[in-house]
Amino acid sequence: MTPAAATRRRARSPALASRAVLGTLGLLGVGAVLEVIPRTGLVSPRYLPPSSEIAVALVREAAGAAFWRALLDTAIGWALGLAIAVVAGVVLGVVLGSVRALRAATASTIEFLRPIPSVALIPVAVLLFGAQLRSVLLLVVYAAFWPMLLQVIHGVADVDPVARDTALSYRFTAWAKIRYVLWPTGLPYIMTGLRLSAAVALILAITAELVIGAPGLGKEIGLAQASSAVPAMYALILVVTSVRLEAAA
Amino acid sequence: MARLRQLALVLALPVALLALCWLLLADSTSFYAPPLRRILAAFGPTWAPRWASEDASSIALLVIGYAGAVVAGVGLGIPLGARPRLRAVFEPALELFRAIPPPALVPAVKLVFGWGPATNVLVIVSGAVWPVLLNTIEGVRAIDEVLADTCRCYGITGARRLYVLVLRAASPQIITGMRQALSIAIILMVISDMMVGSSGLGFTILEFQRGFSIPEMWSGILLLGGLGVVLSLVFRGFEAVALRWYHGLRRPQRGDA
Amino acid sequence: MTPLLDVRHVRKVYDGHGRTVEAIRDLSFSCAPGELVCIVGPSGAGKTTLLKCVAGLLAPTGGEVVLGDVRVDGPPPGMAVVFQEYGRSLFPWLTAWDNVALPLRQRRTPPGELRRLVDGALGEVGLADVHAAYPWQLSGGMQQRVAIARAIAYEPRILLMDEPFAAVDAQTRADLEDLTRSLWRRHAMTILFVTHDIDEAVYMGQRVVILSASPTVVLEDLAIDLPGERDQLATRSTPRFAELRARVYARIQQAKQRSTT
């Protein structure tokens, strides 16, 4: 590509600074539309309160201890479940990824178990644990385990054959093999797996709280809706959204 | 012979696991984990009468919601992908919407649309549209410049350009988005049954659990699992056909023939 | 004779953020109907920019391009382009046959006529037996043959070729050069052939337009007085070929030195 062509490409998409401005304008625009629609009565404010009211409700929520308690509960369920899923996924993934025969033998089982929707386990969770943290964990671990496992299996299988042979011919110790061959290749896959698992884990944590009633933000959203505290409900939805944005960053 | 060996590899572990469950639970007197044969025996009588009526409607709503999400995501993604300025304005807002955990929207949708099939469909659409939309934008944005110039030179415009260039060039990303959307849609189908409806697959299974009809509950979980597996197989078949060119193109580039 | 293609004082300035790059300063040349003109210049001479201006893919900052007697402001009908990046100019989801047929379908060519044109074009480039293959199943040289077949099936008045053989191996390249020349003679097309390869320019062209480094101007418009019947071995070993080649080379070297000092 000639320098001229590169310049042209840059000229065609707006520069970073102006993109940020446009994007902020877009967000403000959405906020303004959400403010105006209920005020004009296009949608009843009973269903969709103006964004300013949601902001007020957010501040009020943040002043209460119950909110922080719920946030903490959600964070614990999410982080603990994710941690269990990640450890299990990495350990099993490395084992299955490095032994060809095991990988071949388990592939069909994994392919069968993975698409089973984790929410199908909700009745089991309720039955066994009730509206408790352990219910949340069951769902979160099941859902977050698969992306991690698959990424690690791919990562280990992706190790450059030349690097593997080099390690073999220089009689690397097991530690050196992990440190210099497995780890650098696998790391990007683990990061991808972590990102996918983290997103799924949060969704399942909220689901468990909403549907089963385990303590946490999801439960609070359900309660707010049931008690017609509509602005508070939207404020809480906004909170879980920003938790997810934080988790993704 | 190699075929046979492969078949054995595919089947060995699932059969072994199933047999293990069967044996372990054969004389189970546990209330929560009844013998497998009782679950299987409950399967037919439980679902055969429901199949035609309320529970088929869950799947119908899933199909409608998923189709709606795909159409809306692709339809909005194409103009957004093609216009940098439009994209710059809307992308952060879209990222925000995408980040809303889909189940959290269920109470809001329920509030606005009440109790009815429209709510289930809207819940599914509102959660499943984002991966399709954002992946479509990515795909359209990354259309090869030379290919786009080729179309301009030969005067290929309008509907033919949309079909031959835009949709096909973006199809790998669109299909990635559709795959993510499918698993979200299934989750949301079950959740919206459980939270909104007074019928549907998810609702019925939850009812069994509440009524302590344990074998029936397990049969429902098996049904949901089977549904997930079947839909993912169908999707994989679709992907293999739609992206044949893409996998063919990628194979030599990755260097494993 | 009135020229088919007339490039008049074309100037192209890229306007980046806070800096402008003058890619082409002032370029004028023309092609008579049926001519094969080669454009040669050092890398970074804005050859691709020029070709895109001629093709109507880029609007020049100043001057104009006239095809027939119509000013070009967008890809004109009756013009086909063969790009350097054959891997990116063929549709990987269409077979070779469908790739060639696509522009004709857009033009609503009747089916019988369409089949005749596509089969004929693929036959002419020596690909009569790979109709159903996808581009990624073909070698680089074969892919470029498909792109050429697409261009000739389109029956253009003028064919633009942008360093079409820069990315194929030497043997294939020689074959494709001869193929292009024979197609040109058979179809009486006008061809504008852009290359950075001096040998190729002299071997292929009736005229060679030599460009300076960027910001680009025309250094010389050189008539190639080699016989029309050319042969990779015989033509390239004639003294006249060596002279012309040396002359183009000297011109380009001169321009390079001037731009670096």
Side-chain angles (χ1 to χ4, degrees):
Chain A
M1 173 141 306
T2 60
T7 322
R8 180 161 42 81
R9 175 161 298 184
R10 228 175 309 127
R12 206 187 280 172
S13 64
L16 204 64
S18 81
R19 259 212 323 260
V21 171
L22 288 174
T24 313
L25 282 178
L27 282 173
L28 289 176
V30 170
V33 167
L34 289 179
E35 177 78 27
V36 168
I37 286 179
R39 291 209 182 276
T40 56
L42 212 61
V43 178
S44 162
R46 271 201 327 203
Y47 299 148
L48 182 67
S51 39
S52 56
E53 273 181 42
I54 296 176
V56 171
L58 182 62
V59 173
R60 201 180 306 134
E61 282 290 324
F67 167 79
W68 296 104
R69 178 75 229 168
L71 183 60
L72 189 67
D73 281 330
T74 299
I76 289 174
W78 173 63
L80 202 56
L82 184 60
I84 297 171
V86 165
V87 171
V90 170
V91 170
L92 253 165
V94 168
V95 172
L96 294 185
S98 15
V99 185
R100 211 191 165 81
L102 271 181
R103 193 161 75 233
T106 51
S108 62
T109 313
I110 292 174
E111 281 308 303
F112 183 79
L113 290 176
R114 194 169 56 104
I116 294 179
S118 43
V119 284
L121 293 178
I122 287 178
V124 185
V126 179
L127 208 58
L128 294 181
F129 306 123
Q132 295 298 323
L133 177 64
R134 279 187 293 176
S135 281
V136 178
L137 288 182
L138 176 67
L139 296 184
V140 170
V141 171
Y142 184 83
F145 170 70
W146 300 109
M148 199 67 211
L149 177 72
L150 287 172
Q151 285 298 320
V152 174
I153 289 178
H154 285 153
V156 176
D158 191 41
V159 168
D160 188 356
V162 178
R164 198 194 300 263
D165 291 348
T166 311
L168 214 61
S169 63
Y170 283 97
R171 297 175 185 282
F172 275 24
T173 61
W175 168 245
K177 238 185 333 205
I178 291 172
R179 171 72 187 77
Y180 296 108
V181 182
L182 219 50
W183 179 250
T185 321
L187 193 61
Y189 287 89
I190 291 185
M191 293 317 286
T192 307
L194 195 61
R195 210 163 36 76
L196 295 172
S197 293
V200 174
L202 186 67
I203 292 176
L204 264 295
I206 307 277
T207 304
E209 292 160 9
L210 258 171
V211 181
I212 306 177
L217 287 171
K219 186 185 180 186
E220 299 297 316
I221 293 174
L223 286 178
Q225 186 255 326
S227 59
S228 301
V230 179
M233 179 189 79
Y234 283 104
L236 289 166
I237 292 176
L238 207 60
V239 171
V240 292
T241 303
S242 50
V243 169
R244 183 155 173 213
L245 278 176
E246 284 305 308
Chain B
M1 195 57 206
R3 271 275 159 89
L4 219 62
R5 248 183 69 118
Q6 207 177 3
L7 194 70
L9 267 179
V10 168
L11 290 180
L13 189 61
V15 169
L17 285 177
L18 214 61
L20 193 69
C21 276
W22 189 280
L23 288 177
L24 278 182
L25 295 175
D27 303 313
S28 165
T29 49
S30 159
F31 182 67
Y32 295 138
L36 211 50
R37 64 184 133 73
R38 270 188 59 202
I39 298 173
L40 293 180
F43 197 94
T46 308
W47 298 105
R50 288 185 170 81
W51 187 246
S53 60
E54 57 202 274
D55 298 308
S57 74
S58 285
I59 295 168
L61 295 177
L62 170 70
V63 171
I64 295 170
Y66 181 63
V70 170
V71 170
V74 173
L76 292 173
I78 287 172
L80 279 168
R83 292 181 215 294
R85 233 158 249 289
L86 205 62
R87 190 164 64 237
V89 171
F90 284 105
E91 208 156 39
L94 293 177
E95 288 287 347
L96 186 73
F97 281 122
R98 194 233 314 238
I100 299 176
L105 271 178
V106 180
V109 178
K110 186 159 78 172
L111 189 70
V112 179
F113 292 92
W115 305 66
T119 302
N120 297 46
V121 170
L122 253 133
V123 164
I124 293 171
V125 172
S126 67
V129 71
W130 307 109
V132 180
L133 175 62
L134 287 151
N135 279 288
T136 304
I137 292 177
E138 242 358 271
V140 172
R141 203 173 65 117
I143 288 178
D144 194 298
E145 215 177 321
V146 178
L147 222 45
D149 279 349
T150 303
C151 276
R152 286 186 65 195
C153 287
Y154 289 109
I156 293 157
T157 53
R160 192 182 302 272
R161 180 174 188 277
L162 186 69
Y163 180 70
V164 169
L165 177 69
V166 179
L167 282 177
R168 298 304 296 274
S171 60
Q173 285 91 337
I174 293 177
I175 286 175
T176 302
M178 284 171 66
R179 193 184 320 111
Q180 294 167 7
L182 182 62
S183 53
I184 293 180
I186 296 174
I187 290 180
L188 287 175
M189 173 196 82
V190 178
I191 297 179
S192 62
D193 276 353
M194 287 177 172
M195 292 183 65
V196 181
S198 51
S199 69
L201 220 47
F203 176 80
T204 311
I205 295 171
L206 216 53
E207 279 296 284
F208 286 141
Q209 177 258 314
R210 288 186 187 128
F212 293 100
S213 314
I214 303 304
E216 287 78 5
M217 179 197 85
W218 279 109
S219 78
I221 291 172
L222 279 185
L223 183 65
L224 274 183
L227 182 68
V229 173
V230 168
L231 286 179
S232 97
L233 283 178
V234 169
F235 192 87
R236 226 190 301 165
F238 161 71
E239 183 182 335
V241 173
L243 290 187
R244 205 171 81 82
W245 65 270
Y246 181 69
H247 297 310
L249 187 68
R250 288 283 302 272
R251 204 171 300 128
Q253 282 172 7
R254 281 209 319 262
D256 43 26
Chain C
M1 200 184 320
T2 51
L4 174 68
L5 174 76
D6 203 1
V7 177
R8 299 173 186 160
H9 302 290
V10 162
R11 173 179 149 86
K12 180 68 191 175
V13 178
Y14 288 113
D15 215 351
H17 293 276
R19 76 191 182 110
T20 55
V21 179
E22 188 181 30
I24 298 175
R25 179 162 288 164
D26 182 0
L27 262 184
S28 298
F29 67 92
S30 60
C31 291
E35 240 186 332
L36 200 172
V37 177
C38 288
I39 308 266
V40 67
S43 346
K47 296 190 294 287
T48 296
T49 304
L50 169 66
L51 194 108
K52 284 192 166 178
C53 288
V54 172
L57 293 168
L58 271 181
T61 316
E64 59 178 1
V65 176
V66 177
L67 182 68
D69 34 49
V70 184
R71 192 187 153 123
V72 170
D73 56 353
M79 173 186 281
V81 182
V82 173
F83 292 95
Q84 176 185 343
E85 304 95 334
Y86 49 80
R88 292 166 58 196
S89 82
L90 296 176
F91 297 86
W93 43 86
L94 298 180
T95 60
W97 203 90
D98 283 325
N99 262 292
V100 177
L102 182 67
L104 304 177
R105 291 216 168 99
Q106 179 73 17
R107 224 163 45 182
R108 300 184 184 285
T109 309
E113 169 87 351
L114 180 120
R115 199 168 312 120
R116 187 182 64 74
L117 281 169
V118 176
D119 287 345
L122 280 169
E124 277 192 86
V125 299
L127 292 180
D129 51 350
V130 293
H131 287 182
Y134 287 90
W136 36 271
Q137 293 169 324
L138 303 174
S139 69
M142 286 163 98
Q143 289 182 40
Q144 198 57 299
R145 280 170 196 265
V146 175
I148 293 171
R150 178 168 65 187
I152 57 173
Y154 193 61
E155 298 181 303
R157 294 157 75 195
I158 182 162
L159 172 60
L160 307 184
M161 304 181 88
D162 181 14
E163 307 210 19
F165 313 138
V168 296
D169 63 86
Q171 183 54 48
T172 310
R173 181 175 191 147
D175 292 346
L176 288 172
E177 284 168 3
D178 290 336
L179 173 70
T180 305
R181 273 196 64 89
S182 73
L183 289 172
W184 166 66
R185 301 183 74 177
R186 196 171 327 142
H187 290 267
M189 282 182 293
T190 311
I191 296 184
L192 186 64
F193 189 103
V194 172
T195 178
H196 66 268
D197 183 325
I198 295 163
D199 282 53
E200 185 170 77
V202 173
Y203 179 74
M204 294 285 294
Q206 288 180 298
R207 270 166 55 213
V208 171
V209 177
I210 307 165
L211 303 184
S212 72
S214 182
T216 312
V217 293
V218 174
L219 290 176
E220 187 175 350
D221 193 334
L222 182 69
I224 303 295
D225 50 3
L226 293 168
E229 200 66 57
R230 295 187 192 174
D231 176 87
Q232 290 286 354
L233 271 181
T235 307
R236 282 178 195 267
S237 52
T238 57
R240 185 60 188 151
F241 182 87
E243 272 171 45
L244 288 165
R245 183 187 173 284
R247 170 145 186 184
V248 178
Y249 183 79
R251 279 307 241 155
I252 288 179
Q253 284 305 316
Q254 231 176 327
K256 267 192 198 162
Q257 266 150 27
R258 208 175 306 150
S259 71
T260 49
T261 49

